[in-house]
Amino acid sequence: MPAWYSEYRKKRKYRQLRRWKAGILLALFAVFFSIPAGAKGDEKTMPDFTVKTAQNGSHLEISLTAANHSNEDIHLEFPTSKQYDFTVYNSQGQPLYTFSKGRLFLQAIQHITLEKGEEKTWKQVWKNAEAPGTYTVKAELLPSKINGKPGRKILAEQTFTIE
């Protein structure tokens, strides 16, 4: 091979490498700037999320409610069948019961649409709630998308007393 040809190949490789780097950079910028700045769901179209408790003998009934008080439908997308989670804490802040601990969840996308004025309630039972005292239940709704935009955890909390 002539000397000029090997020099030509080096320059060609260098140009290809520069183009490749420029292409990756361009793709990264395109992805970065295609995500809307406030992509956490509009606050006006976020569901209201509440947790309520009711004692029934040695059992504690826990109700989690997502309500749509906006003027438009709210579409929630979940990456798994785990749509919510909650933990019960004692008065010292130690966790006593976590709903999802030891459970398996379906690895399939789930959808819920809350129409204007609609509510969705999930009910669970904590069976070992017999010791008197003050407790706190902290719950979270876990949508990955809200109306097609990236979602976030929606938190709710309630303190209650068992006598």
Side-chain angles (χ1 to χ4, degrees), residues 79-99:
T80 68
S81 63
K82 182 180 174 184
Q83 299 171 350
Y84 59 88
D85 201 3
F86 62 87
T87 301
V88 178
Y89 297 89
N90 64 15
S91 58
Q92 289 80 36
Q94 299 166 322
L96 301 176
Y97 173 74
T98 299
F99 168 72

Side-chain angles (χ1 to χ4, degrees), residues 23 30 34 44 55 67 76 86-87 97 110 117 144 156-157 160:
S34 68
K44 65 181 180 180
Q55 189 174 359
L76 304 172
F86 62 87
T87 301
Y97 173 74
Q110 309 286 305
S144 60
E157 182 176 319
F160 60 95

